[in-house]
Amino acid sequence: MTRPGTFNILARDGAARHGTLETAHGTVRTPVFMPVGTQATVKSLDPRDLHDIRAQIVLGNTYHLYMRPGDELVARLGGLHGFAAWDRPVLTDSGGYQVFSLAGLREITETGVTFRSHIDGSPHLFTPEKAVQIQQNLGSDIMMVLDECVAYGTEYDYTAKSLELTTRWAARCRDEHPIGQNGRLLFGIVQGGFYEDLRTISAQQLMEIPFEGFAIGGLSVGESPDEMRRLLAHTAPILPDDKPRYLMGVGTPMDILDGVALGVDMFDCVLPTRNARNGTLFTSFGKINIKQARFKEDDSPLDPECDCYACRTFSRAYLRHLYMARELLSYRLNTLHNLRFYLKMMEEVREAIGQGAFEALRARYRAAYEQSEQ
Ligand SMILES: CNc1nc2cc3c(=O)[nH]c(N)nc3c(CCN)c2[nH]1
Ligand SMILES: [Zn+2]
């Protein structure tokens, strides 16, 4: 087996790269979209479904699994792979973002972040070391450092101090999990808010530490698409060319294609799974909502270009009926389809980069998604 952490770039098309990232649970072909499975499940799907739609790697959340059922319980029951019967790679986020976006009453000190559980209000402390230990217990293949994701619009001085703390925490995370330890990888997370000079400083400080990959954090936090692209265009090229770049929490189909064009290799977002549950479906002709009356007697497949079980088996009328009746099967079929849309797009992206045809692919998706506001 090739050493975990090995990142091979097989083809380039402009700044876009197609490559492979080796992990302890197999090879990930990049650019890759990672379905979000926050509580050890991609909502409404089982591992067979994820194999059917050709998901390569899924994302779990340290904060949630630490809170419930507990990372030590998961460790005793085989880590996420044994517990959730998922035999492919898992990336876990460190809890940084979840604590800031979910937990109440938190305080940040040099030691770590104290917060109250969103479930029962009990007090907790995440230190960088603790965040790594939880991810080790979960059996994560790709761990993230504990970081502070500053809110959109945070002023310069706080952002500058915060990124320095995130760098010191990142070094402590690396000390807690030395490079190469049992084939698990650790990624640094670039912060610096919406200030280009601070992004440069954060990236340069993190590159002093040996990480197997680098994430770009602090984006997709309420800024406009143009602002996100501005900071991304500034930050991505600073990061090492020979390491994977992961844009956290992104995004719409066009955000992802624009990220690939700027040299990003990995993405995760709740959009396809969350939108599935409110009836918003991604198709080759743009975004639609299945509850629209026009689908009431429409016997055609949701998306004739899609190869997923829902599109092969059922009509738009049936999918609309399930949604209007709030049937559980609606969540499952809509989620299967939306995730397959994202994963199939990434398969087309990898193929197109290999053939120097990425820009044509991006233009095709833009034509379908320009008018439907993403
Ligand atoms: C939806 N937008 C979004 N922005 C993020 C930034 C960070 C970020 O700056 N740090 C961490 N650790 N996670 C982030 C996440 C969670 C990714 N699953 C983000 N999600
Ligand atoms: Zn489909």
Side-chain angles (χ1 to χ4, degrees), residues 59 93-94 97-98 147 149 189 191 217-221 248-249 268:
L59 186 137
D93 197 358
S94 56
Y97 180 81
Q98 287 73 35
D147 61 325
C149 172
I189 304 179
Q191 292 294 346
L219 296 181
S220 185
V221 289
M248 305 189 86
D268 87 277

Side-chain angles (χ1 to χ4, degrees), residues 302-303 306-312 333 336-338 340-341:
L302 170 61
D303 184 349
C306 179
D307 58 2
C308 87
Y309 173 65
C311 291
R312 293 195 319 266
L333 295 177
L336 269 176
H337 169 76
N338 272 359
R340 182 61 198 145
F341 177 84

Side-chain angles (χ1 to χ4, degrees), residues 22 94 260 280 318 328:
E22 301 301 331
S94 56
V260 170
T280 303
Y318 182 67
L328 292 177

Side-chain angles (χ1 to χ4, degrees), residues 224-247:
S224 70
D226 287 348
E227 276 189 294
M228 182 175 73
R229 269 187 273 287
R230 175 170 63 88
L231 269 299
L232 191 54
H234 173 79
T235 310
I238 301 172
L239 296 173
D241 179 66
D242 63 346
K243 295 275 186 340
R245 300 165 182 149
Y246 165 24
L247 177 53

